[in-house]
Each structure stands twice: as C-alpha cells, then as structure tokens.
Amino acid sequence: MKTVRELDLNDAIRLIEGAQAHAIRIGVPMCIAVTDSAGNLLAFRRMDGGKITSITIAIDKAFTAAAARKATHDYGEASQPGRPAYGINTAIGGRLMVVAGGLPVSVDGEVVGAVGVSSGTPGEDREVAQAALDHFAVAAAA
Amino acid sequence: MKTVRELDLNDAIRLIEGAQAHAIRIGVPMCIAVTDSAGNLLAFRRMDGGKITSITIAIDKAFTAAAARKATHDYGEASQPGRPAYGINTAIGGRLMVVAGGLPVSVDGEVVGAVGVSSGTPGEDREVAQAALDHFAVAAAA
Amino acid sequence: MKTVRELDLNDAIRLIEGAQAHAIRIGVPMCIAVTDSAGNLLAFRRMDGGKITSITIAIDKAFTAAAARKATHDYGEASQPGRPAYGINTAIGGRLMVVAGGLPVSVDGEVVGAVGVSSGTPGEDREVAQAALDHFAVAAAA
Amino acid sequence: MKTVRELDLNDAIRLIEGAQAHAIRIGVPMCIAVTDSAGNLLAFRRMDGGKITSITIAIDKAFTAAAARKATHDYGEASQPGRPAYGINTAIGGRLMVVAGGLPVSVDGEVVGAVGVSSGTPGEDREVAQAALDHFAVAAAA
C-alpha cells in the first residue's frame, strides 16, 4: 500500500484563479484546466473570449503534464524531427500535447496535479500556466 | 445573420456554486459542468469525492441538455424499449446522455446553456442540477 | 467490373429542398443530410433552429440508411430487447442509428443514396425524410 | 449574459455558392463546409468529383478556422518543426487542421463562422475559400 498526496478542489480553484488573474493582466482570455496527478479533470474555466478549440487543448495539456509528469514544452523539444520522442504527439488519440502551456504542479518534488492553458500563443499559454503555479506556491507558503 | 444570447463565465460559476451548495446540503460530492448553448464547456468542478467516471458524464449531460435543448431525463423516458427514441443513447459516440442530471438553462424561453451533474443517483443528480437553475434565477432576478 | 448509379449533387440538393419545404410546413427546423450509396456525405443543411446534436444524428441516420440499405425505423423494431438485432445501435462507434428519420433513396429497386433528418420527434423526422423522397420522385418523373 | 452574432443558413448557402462558382471556374470539384462560430456544421456540399477524404477535411478546416478564430494556413506556418505550435495538428483527435483551406468569416471584426474547402491543392483550397468570403462580402454590402 502507498499514500499519495493530491490536489483538492480548493487547490484547483486557487491555481485557476492565479492563471486567470495573469491572463487578465496580459489581456488574453484563456481556457484553463487543472487535473489531479492521474490527469483527470478537477476544475476548468473558459474565460469570455477563450477559444472553443482550446477547451480540449487546455484539458489535454494538463492531462499530459500530470500523467507524464513533464511540462508539455519539454515534449515539444524532445519530439522534433530526428529527436527521440518524434511522433509522440499522436499518442493516446492525440491527447499527448507537445505544445507549451501544460505544467506539472509539484509539492516537495512530487507531482500532485497539473495546469493546462490554451488560447494565446504557446509562449503566453506557458506564462499563464506558470502564473498559476506561482500563485499556488505563495498561497501554500502563507 | 442572427443574434443569440449566451451564458458568460460569471453565469457559469454562479450555476456551479448553486449546484455545489446543494450537493453539500445533501452530502453527495458531485461533478458539475456548465456549457454554452452549443454544448461547449464553460466551467467545471469535481468536488472532493466526486467520481472519475462522472467527469465525462457530467460534461456530456450538459452537452446534451444544451445542444438538444432538452432535459436528459426526458430522453430517459423517450428512449425506453418500445418508445420512439429507443437507441438514441449511443448516438454521437455515446455523448447523448439519457440519464437524469442534465438541464437546459433558459432565459426568456431561449436556451442559453446547460448544467450537467453526476456522481449521485440520477435523482440526486437532477435535484442538484435543478438547484443550480434555481440559484441562477434568484441571482438574475436580484 | 460493375457499374453503379449514384446520386449527384443536384439530386442531393433536390432531396434536401423537399425535406426543408416540408419541415417549414410542419414548423420544425431540421438538420437534413444526404449521402451517396456508400454512406458518405453529399450535402447537409442545418435550418435556423435545428439542434446541434442533430448534426451528427442526421448524418449518421443517412449513413445507416444508405450503407445498410435499410430505413432506420426498421432497425428500431429489429433492435428491441429480445429481437434479433438487439444491441446493433452501438455498432460502428454508435453511428448505426436505430431511431426513425433515415430512409434509403432507391431508383429501380437499387439504393443510390439516403436522406437523414433530425431535430423533431422521430415521427416528424421520418415524415420529413419521406417528403424528401416524394419530392425527388416527382422531379425524377417530370 | 452576452450577445453574439451568428451566420444563419442563408448566409451559409451564400458562402458555399461563392466557393462553388470559383471551384467551377478553376475546374476543381471541391468539398465545401460552413460552420457557425463554435465550429458546428451549418451547410455542406460535395461537388461531383469532390474527394471522399475531403468531406471530413473540409468540415474540420471550417471547424478549426471558426473555433480557433484563425486561418488554417496560419497554423501551417506556426506548426512547422522548430516553431511554437509544432505538433498542434494532432490535437482534438486530429480535428485541428493546419493545411490551407479554412478561413474564418468575420463581420465588424467578430468571427461569426468559417468556411472550409478541400479536394484541390492546399493553394486551390485556400483560393476557393477566399472566393466564398469575397462573394459573401459583396452580398452583404449590396
């Protein structure tokens, strides 16, 4: 038997609120998803103006970051032509996302969930996902 | 061209909060989804203890209620063996839900979105979805 | 080698216009799909007020009626509990529709395509699909 | 609540007719799809000689252009190896199209739907989609 730590719903909402506040600051309405460590959805918000295509993409970025315990932008590099993970983006029916914007949420070095963001450029998506993690870390430390 | 009204994110969160408050009252942690009138996800929460299977079920109940403009329990009756809509539950890759818990959200007789609830009995799911609508109507009237 | 007759695009539009005219007469906005004999889409219209869920359902009713050369309501009877085709509605990823509203289009006893209709009751859907066939037969005879 | 404008069926047919006329001019039979702003199909035609594979491709190009509010050829550039959106083409079960031929339809700077074209070269598909928009703009101005 083992014991695992998991995000609860309040943690998920805190992560989303951190992302949403930053999305407002940069003026890009986003789809924001938070999953548990198994990649299953905990909470989701589509801000007014977020893209319809980004619903699934945000959820799948969070799924990938949690369930593979890896930032989606790291997969982006590893899956370039000629690189070891080339072609991985079609795995799991296309759910394995290699575009930036999915980040694992870790506590004491252990992945407890993930956040996925989509609707901006991949750089903006990643920045907003990072803002979620920063906001969560501050709240956890308080 | 035509003009349609849609729920915004604040409306969606209000609906979820109404559902969540009632789920707490009856002691059944739920998955709660809100979509726009086309059935695309606006907001989602899995309460602590909500079921993993219910993530998709809640989302698909809301999708069905919005995109077909019909409560999922009405499909439940119409799709019994020998009834006209028998077999409809497997349509759209199985996304068309005929189990209670999906309710359209209407304003002035126009469907503007839907709420979908899952994790309890179908009766509890429907009751919690109705609580979302009641809470939304009170807020809209205030 | 063999030679097969197929609907062309003009035939498909004529079928849709027959359906659309009847849908207007009965006051039920419909999704209307026409496929060739292989079940592949030739033409589609969603009337203003047609349901989003009915896009896929109308297309799949036409697919079923063409590719199985059978009216979907015949499958509805044959797939009732205890009947020989029980469970067929989940076949082909749920694309095999057993709800009324899909009718093959035949010329000289040969199936050359199909029409699928959805958004009303199954009875209305079937009636509107039949109107497409009647309109097509009159045009072909003229 | 918010209010959005949408294409109606007449608009969709007008867009298709503009595309079809240009396809005839260049002698390339096409599959032509028009969706609403959420990416849901409004109307579709497969011209005689249009490709079977292009049914889904045209529909998904329109879906992408509408639901992501971006021309599919812009995704084509942004998703080249080494570029930020590399790998995005397999998202949403492969529905996110990065091949030219999907264009958003905008009115007063607001995306109200999209057109998707397939069966020719990507350049021809894009040219025919653009002809749909040009025809629609002329009709709207008249």
Side-chain angles (χ1 to χ4, degrees), chain B residues 86-92 96, chain C residues 56-65 70-76 79 88-92 94-100 102 118:
Chain B
Y86 174 68
I88 196 76
N89 55 306
T90 50
I92 316 176
L96 199 143
Chain C
T56 301
I57 292 174
I59 291 172
D60 287 351
K61 283 180 180 177
F63 162 75
T64 300
K70 191 192 286 284
T72 56
H73 62 259
D74 287 338
Y75 271 121
S79 65
I88 195 77
N89 56 305
T90 51
I92 318 175
R95 291 199 71 194
L96 199 143
M97 296 297 301
V98 305
V99 177
S118 180

Side-chain angles (χ1 to χ4, degrees), chain D residues 3-138:
Chain D
T3 302
V4 296
R5 279 190 296 183
E6 289 285 353
L7 296 175
D8 61 24
L9 177 57
N10 282 338
D11 298 325
I13 293 175
R14 192 170 299 124
L15 283 155
I16 285 187
E17 287 175 345
Q20 193 173 347
H22 194 72
I24 290 169
R25 271 195 294 276
I26 65 171
V28 183
M30 294 288 195
C31 289
I32 309 158
V34 175
T35 67
D36 62 24
S37 69
N40 290 313
L41 195 62
L42 271 170
F44 174 86
R45 287 188 195 170
R46 171 157 53 103
M47 295 170 65
D48 299 324
K51 297 176 182 175
I52 299 293
T53 43
S54 290
I55 299 169
T56 300
I57 293 174
I59 292 172
D60 287 351
K61 283 180 180 176
F63 162 74
T64 299
R69 298 192 298 269
K70 190 192 287 280
T72 55
H73 62 260
D74 286 338
Y75 272 121
E77 292 177 24
S79 65
Q80 294 295 323
R83 299 289 306 276
Y86 175 69
I88 195 78
N89 55 307
T90 50
I92 316 177
R95 292 200 72 193
L96 199 143
M97 296 298 302
V98 305
V99 177
L103 293 177
V105 178
S106 296
V107 173
D108 300 336
E110 187 187 347
V111 174
V112 294
V115 59
V117 176
S118 180
S119 283
T121 64
E124 289 166 343
D125 294 347
R126 177 178 171 181
E127 177 185 331
V128 168
Q130 184 60 50
L133 268 56
D134 295 344
H135 179 71
F136 182 70
V138 168

Side-chain angles (χ1 to χ4, degrees), chain A residues 48-54 56-57 60 76 79-81 86-87 89-90 93-100 122, chain D residues 2 37-39 63-64 67-70 75 80-94 96:
Chain A
D48 297 323
K51 296 177 180 176
I52 298 292
T53 43
S54 291
T56 301
I57 293 174
D60 286 351
S79 66
Q80 294 294 323
Y86 174 70
N89 56 305
T90 52
R95 293 200 70 194
L96 198 143
M97 297 298 301
V98 305
V99 177
Chain D
K2 59 182 178 177
S37 69
F63 162 74
T64 299
R69 298 192 298 269
K70 190 192 287 280
Y75 272 121
Q80 294 295 323
R83 299 289 306 276
Y86 175 69
I88 195 78
N89 55 307
T90 50
I92 316 177
L96 199 143

Side-chain angles (χ1 to χ4, degrees), chain A residues 19-110:
Chain A
Q20 192 173 346
H22 194 72
I24 290 169
R25 271 195 293 277
I26 66 172
V28 182
M30 294 289 193
C31 290
I32 308 158
V34 174
T35 67
D36 61 23
S37 68
N40 291 311
L41 195 63
L42 270 170
F44 174 86
R45 286 187 196 173
R46 172 157 52 104
M47 294 169 66
D48 297 323
K51 296 177 180 176
I52 298 292
T53 43
S54 291
I55 299 169
T56 301
I57 293 174
I59 292 171
D60 286 351
K61 284 179 178 175
F63 162 75
T64 300
R69 298 191 295 271
K70 188 191 288 281
T72 56
H73 63 259
D74 286 338
Y75 271 120
E77 292 177 23
S79 66
Q80 294 294 323
R83 300 290 306 277
Y86 174 70
I88 195 76
N89 56 305
T90 52
I92 319 175
R95 293 200 70 194
L96 198 143
M97 297 298 301
V98 305
V99 177
L103 294 176
V105 179
S106 297
V107 174
D108 301 335
E110 187 186 348

